[in-house]
Amino acid sequence: MTCQRWSYRRAGSPHLMGGIALLGFLLLVPGEALGQEGGRIEGRVTSANNGEPLPGANVVAQGTDEGTATGAEGAFSIENVAPGQYTLKASFIGFQAEVREIAVASGETTQVNFVLRPSVQNLEETVVVGYTEKSRREITSSVETVGEAELNDVTVNDAASLLQGKSSGLYVTTGSGDPGADPTIRVRGTGSISAGADPLYVVDGTISGGVLPDPSNIKSVTVLKDAAASALYGSRAANGVVLINTKQGERGSETKVSVQASTGFNRQTTGNFSVMDASQLEGLHGQMEGSPYAGRDFSQNTDWQDLAFRTATTNSIEASVTGGSENTSFYLSGNVYREEGTLKNDKLTRFGGRVNISHSVTQDLTVDTRLNGRYTDETNNPTGALYEAYTNLPWDAPRAGDGSFRTGRESDWIGRDNTNFLYPLQYNEDKSRQYDFNGAVKLDYSLSSWLSFETTNQVTLQRDDADQYRDIRTQAGSNNDGELFNSYAESTTLLSSSQFSFDRSVGKHNAGGIAGFEYETNHYSGFDAEGGGVFPNLRALDVSAEAVGVQGTITKSNFVSGFSQFNYNYDRTYFASVSFRRDGSSKFGENNRYGNFYSIAGSWALNNEPFLEGRDWIQELKLRASYGTTGNASIGNFVARELYDFAAPYNGEIGARATQQGNPNLTWEIARKTNVGVDLSVFDRVDLSVDAYRRINDDLLQNVPQPSVTGYTSQIQNVGKVQNQGLEVSLSTINLQEGVRWTTDFNIGFNSNEVLDLAGGEPVLDVPNANQRLQEGEEIRTWYMRKWAGVDPQTGKPLWEKQITNDQGKVVDTELTSNYNEATLQMLGSASPDFTGGLRNTVEYNGITLSTFFNFVYGNKVYHSARELFDSDGGYLTYNYMELEDDWSRWQEPGDDATHPKPVAGGNSNSNDVSSRYIEDGTYLRLKNVRLSYNIPSAWLRSLNLQSARVYVSGDNLLTLTDFSGMDPEVGLDGVAGTKYPISRKVIFGVGVSF
């Protein structure tokens, strides 16, 4: 290539990520071309992901030092280029470079546009870890980041649901399809028996205080899993930490306005579950011994599910304004989200807004302000529609002859509960409102080139209001002649966090660290009242004739903490990190208010070693190891105190009775975490991370039985121990990148849970779910019930397993019995999955992007409790029944090898009582999302003065592969599947523009 010296002019301010080398180059004084008249090169550099411009991208002529940087709109121009052939290279951090061969003619302009595709991994990308930021290359701990592109596929109204199936070892499940239902998250299993097991949420580096950003404001989510990553959060990090980073503006960039709008429809999914119509139910009763409805011909055939559910809509609109000057950056956003539930009279409406502003007051002082507000209005179905849609008989008519709704209490109504959910739907209401506000101010002052001070002060306010009206004309309101229930609850959290940070390098030695102090106070108060004798359609308690119930609550708690961390690396090859935190909390006993938490971690970047020199196809090969402790403070405010109850007067006088024995020694549950991992990035196309971990949670809180002489039945003590251990794999690959780009992201997390110690070694029933038992050597959520053994082929009676034991209590034999009370209670599998994960494939071509995302769960045992009603073998004559699965059959005559006992009016020998008959495999593979989008070509946008435009269609929950007989195998952590609010299958159409 012939290349003479030529000069350039910048097309705007360089992006901060352009790098130190580029900034130094841009300070050169532009010169004049020598010799003949030169040509001109101009063009734009944009992202293949969304067509957005890439400001600060480098455009250089290979083999020379000549080049330029793109401006705010991604545009560049190079003036006075000597005629000849050139090889131009465009590059940007986090994206794959693109090379173009061009010819420059004298006095002419050559147009060159670059479309850069993201790299599989960017080792210099900054990741927030604890109270610090590190590049991926420097990380010694187990962290995983989910970016904006991966988060914005499914359509949900909460931040936590975005993570389902997208991070190894992160189990996200939602037991309800209600638009207002909150998902449950576990990081590397459950490590507590009676305390909370949810992760700690941190937003933009500060503990959230209970308010999470709206999905449209989230830029990325990072999950901190091991102690090295989470120990800086000490007393609240035993269950993992989820860091949420919101979108920010860019300094020196032009103002950009972005608007996205979407609309679509939702339908309930019923999976493999369906109830009988009138004809099918008549056929069942015809087989049922002793049924009073056998042989009767019912003309009515009501589809109660069709009356309870509907095709609902989901609509949203989001708008944001971003930009900045030399000293200021800003991000302003607002959104409206409205989702109707598929259950009639069920809907959620949310208004949200966020302001993120950063301003450099001086060269050394920066002020960041973050404000986040949200209002949520939710209307719930006030009747028993979810339950009655499945239990009500098709033989009952919902309307009378004149078209009015029947109450269900008519003499010819057959259904057992004598209710028609359509009747109270005319009158009753159930509404709630939630107000959330979070505001934080951060000051960052640079004391020197290597030392800085930072302080963040935050306030979080929440208020919840609820109103329930039960009309006197309905069964629910008849007991008290019409009822009205009002409640409110409000909470305030104040947080102040300050720290010193340093970063020094001497030769190949690099050191950094932090030391800080944090204080948090929480206040909660609530009040609710219920009045009776309310005249129809009045909605104020002052019209009630009598008070049915009044109660109020006030609580308060404080945390005080000191924390520190020291990091060191030699030649960016050998890395070490240690941290220490001391926490104090008012929640614990006066003898154990303070706890110490620490971590130590190291990593070795083998790719920097001489023995791998020259192997450029290895971008990263790093070994990691860490050990440390974290705590769990997710308990009530007064569990360590002696408590008295003043609510029940004695003989008409105010009195008190002792209700809880105090424990001054009560303290934190401790998690001891060990992690080893390896990170591998090769060929700039494959990124692999593998982690093996063990977490032992010690000093677990447990209600320990007490002698009756104490006056108490139990006392909360630190006595339990639980272990979680497992393996996590995350793999990202670029399969094709020439013309068509095809990428794959896969993650899987295996986890094994075991109870190691209980008080006195004695097993106890799990209080929330009496059909599960805590026992040493078993998993936390292990089912404990009678073992189903099938159907006696000669009699059609149910069979269970009876264990025969010797004098020492050891099982020596088993036999079958048809007597339910003789059957032996046994441990019968766990509600926790063996592994979970997700798989995403993305194909891009010429502005068209197609992505598919699957999530999967394997090995959990689900107790399908709804079958106790719908599959009761005649136990509930006046409830509807579920259709049998294809491989199920009912016993009819001697010799039948059937899955279901003989149907008998009133039930067949307790066949529908609790047993493993209703335990099913909860394994599933779900097509969680399919999205097809098209980026409008830039040539079409210029005439409309648009920077970018995109249209898309998206589908959620389109297909679920499972053997589970219910509506949905995804249930809550307890593993119980009742009459579930079904999840929605959504189809969404959207458009997004930027200008």
Side-chain angles (χ1 to χ4, degrees):
M1 179 187 77
T2 301
C3 184
Q4 302 179 14
R5 181 182 182 274
W6 41 271
S7 62
Y8 71 92
R9 293 186 177 88
R10 287 189 294 165
S13 298
H15 191 279
L16 289 176
M17 299 179 68
I20 297 175
L22 175 62
L23 291 175
F25 176 68
L26 293 179
L27 294 175
L28 295 175
V29 178
E32 297 295 330
L34 300 177
Q36 59 184 310
E37 181 184 2
R40 185 173 185 268
I41 304 173
E42 68 176 18
R44 295 182 80 223
V45 181
T46 58
S47 167
N49 262 0
N50 50 24
E52 293 282 340
L54 296 178
N58 297 337
V59 181
V60 299
Q62 287 190 303
T64 77
D65 292 331
E66 312 290 358
T68 187
T70 58
E73 303 302 319
F76 69 91
S77 64
I78 305 171
E79 309 289 345
N80 298 325
V81 182
Q85 297 291 324
Y86 293 90
T87 300
L88 286 188
K89 179 181 179 181
S91 62
F92 189 72
I93 292 178
F95 288 76
Q96 291 180 305
E98 184 178 352
V99 175
R100 303 284 296 275
E101 298 291 338
I102 64 168
V104 177
S106 176
E108 296 185 4
T109 298
T110 302
Q111 185 76 30
V112 186
N113 292 323
F114 294 92
V115 180
L116 304 188
R117 302 179 183 280
S119 299
V120 65
Q121 186 188 57
N122 176 17
L123 297 179
E124 303 306 326
E125 178 185 2
T126 299
V127 179
V128 178
V129 183
Y131 291 81
T132 62
E133 293 184 356
K134 296 180 182 180
S135 70
R136 287 197 174 277
R137 192 185 300 275
E138 298 172 315
I139 290 176
T140 60
S141 52
S142 178
V143 303
E144 189 167 2
T145 298
V146 184
E148 182 180 357
E150 292 77 24
L151 293 171
N152 286 343
D153 50 4
V154 296
T155 303
V156 294
N157 67 82
D158 66 278
S161 295
L162 297 174
L163 295 173
Q164 188 175 46
K166 295 172 182 174
S167 176
S168 60
L170 192 69
Y171 181 40
V172 182
T173 184
T174 303
S176 172
D178 189 324
D182 294 322
T184 304
I185 294 183
R186 292 292 179 267
V187 179
R188 293 183 168 181
T190 299
S192 182
I193 294 173
S194 58
D198 293 330
L200 176 70
Y201 291 95
V202 177
V203 179
D204 292 331
T206 307
I207 295 172
S208 71
V211 177
L212 301 184
D214 295 328
S216 61
N217 292 323
I218 297 176
K219 181 179 181 181
S220 66
V221 176
T222 301
V223 184
L224 310 184
K225 303 175 185 179
D226 67 349
S230 58
L232 268 180
Y233 292 102
S235 63
R236 287 176 282 188
N239 302 312
V241 180
V242 176
L243 304 179
I244 300 176
N245 299 311
T246 62
K247 298 175 183 178
Q248 311 288 333
E250 293 183 0
R251 299 193 178 191
S253 63
E254 294 186 2
T255 300
K256 181 176 72 173
V257 179
S258 298
V259 179
Q260 179 169 299
S262 65
T263 185
F265 55 88
N266 328 326
R267 285 289 297 173
Q268 83 270 22
T269 60
T270 55
N272 297 322
F273 182 85
S274 58
V275 294
M276 294 182 175
D277 61 22
S279 176
Q280 291 171 316
L281 191 59
E282 289 172 19
L284 172 62
H285 280 270
Q287 303 173 34
M288 190 180 299
E289 180 181 294
S291 171
Y293 305 108
R296 292 181 59 176
D297 184 13
F298 294 94
S299 58
Q300 181 65 32
N301 184 22
T302 302
D303 186 343
W304 289 103
Q305 291 186 59
D306 185 62
L307 295 174
F309 294 97
R310 63 183 173 182
T311 298
T313 61
T314 296
N315 299 284
S316 71
I317 184 167
E318 307 159 2
S320 65
V321 182
T322 62
S325 63
E326 182 179 353
N327 296 320
T328 305
S329 66
F330 61 88
Y331 171 83
L332 309 158
S333 76
N335 63 79
V336 180
Y337 180 90
R338 186 178 189 274
E339 180 178 348
E340 293 179 332
T342 55
L343 194 67
K344 290 182 178 177
N345 277 44
D346 207 16
K347 64 181 179 181
L348 178 144
T349 302
R350 186 197 65 211
F351 299 87
R354 172 169 283 271
V355 177
N356 290 342
I357 298 176
S358 178
H359 177 67
S360 294
V361 180
T362 68
Q363 185 177 358
D364 297 324
L365 177 63
T366 300
V367 179
D368 292 340
T369 301
R370 299 186 296 270
L371 303 175
N372 181 37
R374 181 168 57 234
Y375 168 73
T376 304
D377 190 313
E378 189 172 0
T379 299
N380 298 306
N381 188 296
T383 71
L386 184 61
Y387 177 76
E388 295 174 32
Y390 303 103
T391 59
N392 280 6
L393 295 178
W395 301 334
D396 289 320
R399 293 180 181 270
D402 60 0
S404 62
F405 287 118
R406 304 173 73 198
T407 65
R409 286 170 284 183
E410 292 80 4
S411 59
D412 61 343
W413 190 273
I414 305 172
R416 165 177 170 150
D417 295 327
N418 297 111
T419 57
N420 172 11
F421 60 82
L422 296 172
Y423 180 80
L425 199 60
Q426 305 172 100
Y427 308 112
N428 295 349
E429 289 183 350
D430 185 352
K431 295 185 176 183
S432 62
R433 295 163 300 283
Q434 181 172 323
Y435 309 84
D436 298 315
F437 172 80
N438 176 273
V441 176
K442 173 184 172 183
L443 304 178
D444 192 336
Y445 184 71
S446 179
L447 298 170
S448 69
S449 60
W450 57 273
L451 180 65
S452 64
F453 173 76
E454 173 186 308
T455 180
T456 301
N457 295 276
Q458 174 180 270
V459 59
T460 302
L461 306 174
Q462 291 180 283
R463 176 176 173 126
D464 295 272
D465 295 337
D467 303 302
Q468 296 174 13
Y469 169 71
R470 297 179 281 268
D471 195 280
I472 188 175
R473 290 164 288 188
T474 66
Q475 190 169 341
S478 60
N479 290 338
N480 290 302
D481 299 324
E483 297 176 352
L484 182 63
F485 174 86
N486 291 157
S487 71
Y488 92 90
E490 60 182 19
S491 64
T492 303
T493 299
L494 302 176
L495 174 69
S496 180
S497 179
S498 301
Q499 67 184 58
F500 288 91
S501 304
F502 79 93
D503 191 356
R504 290 297 301 267
S505 296
V506 179
K508 295 183 178 182
H509 300 275
N510 306 286
I514 62 172
F517 173 83
E518 195 168 77
Y519 176 79
E520 179 181 328
T521 180
N522 303 278
H523 180 273
Y524 171 88
S525 63
F527 180 85
D528 56 66
E530 185 174 2
V534 178
F535 198 80
N537 293 322
L538 296 182
R539 300 289 195 275
L541 275 176
D542 62 356
V543 304
S544 63
E546 59 179 316
V548 176
V550 178
Q551 63 180 13
T553 302
I554 298 177
T555 66
K556 185 178 181 179
S557 66
N558 296 317
F559 283 90
V560 60
S561 311
F563 55 89
S564 61
Q565 184 180 65
F566 176 77
N567 305 306
Y568 168 81
N569 78 77
Y570 176 76
D571 198 21
R572 305 194 75 187
T573 301
Y574 309 100
F575 298 84
S577 176
V578 294
S579 69
F580 177 80
R581 178 169 178 135
R582 181 170 175 82
D583 281 324
S585 173
S586 62
K587 292 186 175 185
F588 296 100
E590 59 185 12
N591 297 336
N592 276 315
R593 288 275 167 82
Y594 289 86
N596 300 321
F597 310 94
Y598 65 90
S599 74
I600 181 170
S603 65
W604 178 19
L606 281 78
N607 54 290
N608 290 340
E609 294 289 0
F611 56 78
L612 289 179
E613 187 176 351
R615 292 174 173 83
D616 295 337
W617 53 274
I618 301 179
Q619 283 75 54
E620 182 184 36
L621 176 57
K622 181 168 64 177
L623 302 180
R624 294 178 281 103
S626 68
Y627 176 79
T629 63
T630 53
N632 185 6
S634 298
I635 64 173
N637 289 337
F638 308 115
V639 294
R641 308 238 180 168
E642 294 182 355
L643 297 183
Y644 294 83
D645 182 10
F646 289 83
Y650 178 77
N651 195 28
E653 300 291 333
I654 295 177
R657 64 184 180 92
T659 57
Q660 178 176 289
Q661 184 179 10
N663 184 353
N665 296 315
L666 199 71
T667 189
W668 278 278
E669 298 183 344
I670 302 295
R672 310 179 194 279
K673 302 178 181 180
T674 304
N675 190 95
V676 293
V678 58
D679 298 324
L680 175 66
S681 185
V682 295
F683 304 114
D684 203 23
R685 299 177 69 159
V686 178
D687 179 19
L688 173 67
S689 290
V690 180
D691 282 271
Y693 64 88
R694 174 178 293 171
R695 173 171 59 129
I696 296 179
N697 292 69
D698 207 348
D699 293 335
L700 301 190
L701 301 184
Q702 185 182 344
N703 274 308
V704 180
Q706 298 294 297
S708 58
V709 69
T710 65
Y712 301 92
T713 58
S714 64
Q715 182 189 43
I716 298 178
Q717 299 179 9
N718 295 99
V719 293
K721 182 184 294 186
V722 170
Q723 173 181 274
N724 285 275
Q725 58 184 357
L727 181 71
E728 298 169 353
V729 179
S730 296
L731 175 66
S732 296
T733 62
I734 299 176
N735 309 312
L736 295 174
Q737 58 182 349
E738 299 297 333
V740 176
R741 178 181 169 89
W742 169 28
T743 61
T744 299
D745 298 293
F746 171 78
N747 74 83
I748 188 169
F750 301 84
N751 185 75
S752 175
N753 174 278
E754 182 182 357
V755 177
L756 300 180
D757 289 323
L758 293 172
E762 294 296 321
V764 294
L765 289 177
D766 190 355
V767 175
N769 190 341
N771 296 323
Q772 293 176 349
R773 192 184 198 191
L774 295 170
Q775 181 172 310
E776 292 181 1
E778 301 288 344
E779 294 200 11
I780 285 182
R781 296 187 182 88
T782 297
W783 295 109
Y784 183 66
M785 58 184 63
R786 291 164 174 83
K787 186 176 181 179
W788 177 256
V791 178
D792 188 328
Q794 299 304 315
T795 65
K797 285 184 174 295
L799 295 173
W800 295 275
E801 185 175 283
K802 177 182 178 182
Q803 295 180 339
I804 309 300
T805 59
N806 59 19
D807 294 340
Q808 289 75 39
K810 182 179 180 181
V811 177
V812 296
D813 198 5
T814 60
E815 62 183 35
L816 302 183
T817 178
S818 290
N819 187 331
Y820 181 81
N821 294 323
E822 290 182 355
T824 307
L825 291 167
Q826 303 181 46
M827 309 292 278
L828 298 169
S830 172
S832 299
D834 295 332
F835 62 81
T836 63
L839 173 67
R840 178 189 305 280
N841 279 281
T842 304
V843 178
E844 305 168 62
Y845 175 72
N846 203 25
I848 299 174
T849 302
L850 174 64
S851 67
T852 62
F853 176 61
F854 290 85
N855 75 294
F856 53 85
V857 173
Y858 178 86
N860 57 316
K861 301 301 181 183
V862 175
Y863 185 74
H864 195 180
S865 64
R867 288 180 57 193
E868 295 177 9
L869 305 179
F870 307 130
D871 196 16
S872 65
D873 312 312
Y876 294 93
L877 288 177
T878 48
Y879 277 170
N880 203 353
Y881 281 73
M882 62 185 291
E883 295 182 16
L884 296 187
E885 299 291 294
D886 292 339
D887 56 348
W888 292 358
S889 59
R890 297 189 194 278
W891 189 94
Q892 294 183 348
E893 57 185 27
D896 282 352
D897 184 13
T899 59
H900 284 52
K902 175 183 178 180
V904 177
N908 188 343
S909 303
N910 303 99
S911 65
N912 67 316
D913 278 5
V914 176
S915 77
S916 65
R917 174 187 181 182
Y918 300 135
I919 292 181
E920 300 186 37
D921 186 1
T923 298
Y924 71 87
L925 172 66
R926 173 168 290 153
L927 180 55
K928 186 68 176 178
N929 175 263
V930 175
R931 175 171 290 216
L932 178 65
S933 65
Y934 178 60
N935 291 325
I936 308 299
S938 58
W940 298 4
L941 301 176
R942 292 193 185 101
S943 61
L944 300 175
N945 293 322
L946 296 178
Q947 288 187 17
S948 65
R950 178 173 61 98
V951 294
Y952 68 89
V953 58
S954 177
D956 295 344
N957 305 317
L958 299 180
L959 175 68
T960 301
L961 302 178
T962 182
D963 290 331
F964 180 63
S965 68
M967 287 174 282
D968 185 13
E970 181 184 345
V971 296
L973 290 174
D974 62 359
V976 178
T979 50
K980 177 182 177 178
Y981 195 131
I983 63 170
S984 299
R985 180 179 291 115
K986 297 179 180 178
V987 177
I988 305 293
F989 302 90
V991 59
V993 297
S994 297
F995 53 89

